[in-house]
Every structure is written in C-alpha cells, then in structure tokens.
Amino acid sequence: MMNVSRPAIHPVDALPVAPTTGAIDRPPVRMKDVQGMPGTTGGLILRLSQFVPALISVSVMVTTSDFRSATAFCCLVLAVSLQSMWSLSLFLVDAYALLVRRSLRNHSVVQCFTIGDGVTSTLTFAAASASAGITVLINDLGQCNVNHCTRFETATAMAFISWFAVSPSFILNFWSLATH
C-alpha cells in the first residue's frame, strides 16, 4: 500500500452579497489623470520639451562639417534623431488624444510608451555622455581651433536637456504601469 498524503481542505466562508435592488448604480472609480502622463496637457508639453532640444541638437551637429570625426558624435546624431522622431510621434498622439478627448490609459499603450521612453532616454544619455567626454578631450588637447567645440558643446547640452525632459515621462509612465 502506498502512503500518499492528501491535501487539507479548509472551508472558506462566502461573504454576503449586497442586494442589488434599490442600490444606486455608480460608475467605477477611475484614477485621476496626473499631468505629464500620456493624453494630458502636461504630457503634450513634456513631449514638446523633449522634441525641441533634440531637434536643435541634431541640427547643430549635422551642420558641423567634421562631426563624423568621432564615433561619439555620430552616435549622438543617431540617438537624438531617434529621440526627436519618438517625441514628435508621441506629441502627435497626445495632441490627437486631447482633440478627440480619448484616454491613453490602456495598459498596452502605457507599456509601449514606457519601453520607448526607456530605450530612447538611455540612448540619448549614453550618447550625450560620450559626446561630452570627447568634447572635453578635444578642448584639453587644444584642438578647438580645428574643431567646432562650441557647436559640439551646444549639441551635447541640448541632448542632455532633452534627456532631462524624457526622464519625467518615463518615470510617470513606469509608475502608471507599475500601479496598474
């Protein structure tokens, strides 16, 4: 004979159900939209504040003739180009959502925004940090007469400003995703 243990069964008392007759039908409580989240005016302003510095950064860097001299500068152009396209597309989505009064609190939408913001902000920060290091190196070597240090510094500063503007969007989207 086999010695097999049996699961213990513990009865659970059922909670009494409130009567539905005469009860007031109330809509479910919905969490208030926090300004800065997708589909809000604050979110629209954040997306615009991400897009403009990224666009300035890529414009300044591309108009510099020798930005291809360092890989970090090429990475900066790529990263802020991606950041500007991402921010512009989400700016348009936010503007559309505000115009038609639609909520962007869908789990899949917030997840997409969170992942996109995380990837673009990481790339922008890494590229801006690398570009800042190369700019300091060029400046320390005394080759600023040959290179366009002021333009490199401006493009790098704009990339950091864009990254600072992406951070609240990422944090708010991540918080919304985590509490969903």
Side-chain angles (χ1 to χ4, degrees), residues 59-70 73-74 145-148 151-152:
S59 299
V60 167
M61 195 58 89
V62 169
T63 57
T64 305
S65 61
D66 59 347
F67 82 90
R68 290 183 183 89
S69 62
F73 296 146
C74 294
N145 296 336
V146 178
N147 292 316
H148 307 284
R151 288 176 163 261
F152 293 153

Side-chain angles (χ1 to χ4, degrees), residues 16 18 24 26 43 63 85 88 90 104 121 125-126 131 135 143 150 161 170:
I24 300 172
R26 295 182 185 162
T63 57
M85 289 187 294
L88 179 63
L90 292 187
L104 293 177
S121 68
F125 180 73
S131 295
T135 303
Q143 295 183 355
T150 306
I161 291 171
F170 173 72

Side-chain angles (χ1 to χ4, degrees), residues 96-161:
Y96 176 75
L98 285 171
L99 286 175
V100 297
R101 300 187 190 279
R102 287 298 259 324
S103 175
L104 293 177
R105 295 293 299 258
N106 185 345
H107 180 72
S108 300
V109 172
V110 173
Q111 187 176 17
C112 178
F113 281 23
T114 304
I115 291 169
D117 282 343
V119 168
T120 57
S121 68
T122 302
L123 288 173
T124 301
F125 180 73
S129 297
S131 295
I134 294 299
T135 303
V136 168
L137 177 67
I138 291 171
N139 199 6
D140 288 347
L141 293 175
Q143 295 183 355
C144 276
N145 296 336
V146 178
N147 292 316
H148 307 284
C149 282
T150 306
R151 288 176 163 261
F152 293 153
E153 289 168 354
T154 302
T156 302
M158 288 294 127
F160 275 117
I161 291 171

